[in-house]
Amino acid sequence: ARRASAFENALIYLKSAKELLGANHWEDEYQLSLEIYILASQMAYCNGDFDLMNDLFQDIFDNATCALDKTESFAIKTKYLLVQNGPKQSLEYGVYALKQLGESISEVPSKMSVMYHFLKTRMMLRTTEAEMLLYMTDMVDELAIAKIRILSEVCRVGLAINKEVGSISALRIVQLTLQYGYSKCSTIGFAMYGMLLQEINGDVRMACRFGRLALKLDERSQAKEWTPSSYLMVYGGILP
């Protein structure tokens, strides 16, 4: 109840901040406007005020100067569609959002596409011990952070209704992590990679190593949002 009250109070303050913006605020105070609208849409989502949330999204989509500035709205809308309209629409929208960020994933990928990304990921990891990945530096590239944010949402939905999309999304998370550094969303990618090592290669030993890595990365991030999905994959699909 206390947390719900905090969300309600935050939304009241953000509505007030929004009303204080000038008539041409998107032109005159673009960054401030973007921050207020994104925070307000997050609080509207947490409060279940979906009409307000969608109105704020529309303003953001109409006025944001680049796809990067729409990332958080893309992510929240993907989650909203999962709850309100079901996984199919959520997955479709997540794939659409990725395309806006320059990351193309087919809604109906072949098993060969999964194998391609799996082998590419194995090649990228061939000289790296799983345990050394705990010491990666943090990801700072803004586009990579945006992509991995949406990929994690698509991965979570895809694993429920489209294993190929979920697998490719997870493998892309691992690839981007190896290229650009650690993100709080990296955990779900390594957890799924461990599952794929077991399913595709039958490599139980390596699957367990990457499963344990995912759990340790989850501890490092303290991002509780990804803990249930990561635990489900590691304890339900890898570790005995």
Side-chain angles (χ1 to χ4, degrees):
R2 185 182 301 171
R3 188 174 182 182
S5 177
F7 288 143
E8 290 171 6
N9 290 334
L11 185 56
I12 290 169
Y13 286 121
L14 287 162
K15 284 180 179 177
S16 298
K18 178 174 169 288
E19 290 170 2
L20 290 171
L21 294 169
N24 299 315
H25 61 90
W26 283 109
E27 290 79 21
D28 300 337
E29 297 179 281
Y30 174 77
Q31 195 58 43
L32 177 61
S33 299
L34 185 66
E35 290 174 5
I36 290 173
Y37 273 68
I38 288 174
L39 285 171
S41 65
Q42 289 173 334
M43 292 304 102
Y45 173 77
C46 291
N47 280 295
D49 191 343
F50 299 134
D51 288 337
L52 174 60
M53 179 198 72
N54 281 314
D55 288 343
L56 291 164
F57 282 162
Q58 194 57 56
D59 282 334
I60 292 169
F61 295 148
D62 288 344
N63 293 283
T65 58
C66 63
L68 205 58
D69 288 344
K70 303 176 185 178
T71 301
E72 188 59 26
S73 300
F74 285 149
I76 297 171
K77 189 164 183 177
T78 303
K79 290 194 285 191
Y80 160 74
L81 288 171
L82 176 62
V83 175
Q84 293 295 110
N85 297 51
K88 186 175 185 297
Q89 284 196 28
S90 177
L91 187 65
E92 289 173 354
Y93 186 80
V95 170
Y96 160 80
L98 285 173
K99 287 180 181 176
Q100 304 307 301
L101 295 167
E103 182 77 23
S104 293
I105 292 181
S106 170
E107 290 180 35
V108 285
S110 65
K111 293 187 183 299
M112 286 299 295
S113 295
V114 176
M115 185 58 68
Y116 165 77
H117 283 284
F118 176 73
L119 293 174
K120 180 179 179 180
T121 305
R122 286 202 69 185
M123 287 294 292
M124 293 176 72
L125 283 163
R126 69 188 184 280
T127 59
T128 305
E129 292 291 329
E131 292 72 20
M132 293 305 296
L133 296 171
L134 283 170
Y135 306 103
M136 288 182 290
T137 56
D138 289 341
M139 188 179 291
V140 295
D141 185 278
E142 290 186 354
L143 182 56
I145 292 170
K147 287 181 177 182
I148 209 170
R149 176 77 175 89
I150 306 302
L151 281 164
S152 59
E153 297 293 347
V154 172
C155 177
R156 180 157 54 184
V157 179
L159 291 175
I161 63 167
N162 190 320
K163 184 70 174 291
E164 286 75 23
V165 172
S167 298
I168 290 174
S169 299
L171 292 167
R172 284 295 295 140
I173 288 171
V174 175
Q175 292 166 16
L176 288 167
T177 300
L178 295 173
Q179 286 179 279
Y180 296 101
Y182 166 80
S183 159
K184 64 181 182 181
C185 302
S186 298
T187 303
I188 194 171
F190 284 102
M192 185 63 198
Y193 178 64
M195 284 184 65
L196 291 172
L197 280 168
Q198 187 162 283
E199 291 176 13
I200 295 175
N201 272 23
D203 193 337
V204 177
R205 184 180 66 85
M206 286 302 294
C208 288
R209 287 179 70 180
F210 277 96
R212 292 190 184 95
L213 169 68
L215 296 178
K216 290 178 180 178
L217 288 174
D218 184 71
E219 291 175 6
R220 168 180 167 174
S221 72
Q222 297 183 333
K224 301 305 181 186
E225 180 181 2
W226 303 109
T227 300
S229 297
S230 299
Y231 273 40
L232 179 63
M233 284 186 274
V234 173
Y235 289 115
I238 302 174
L239 297 179

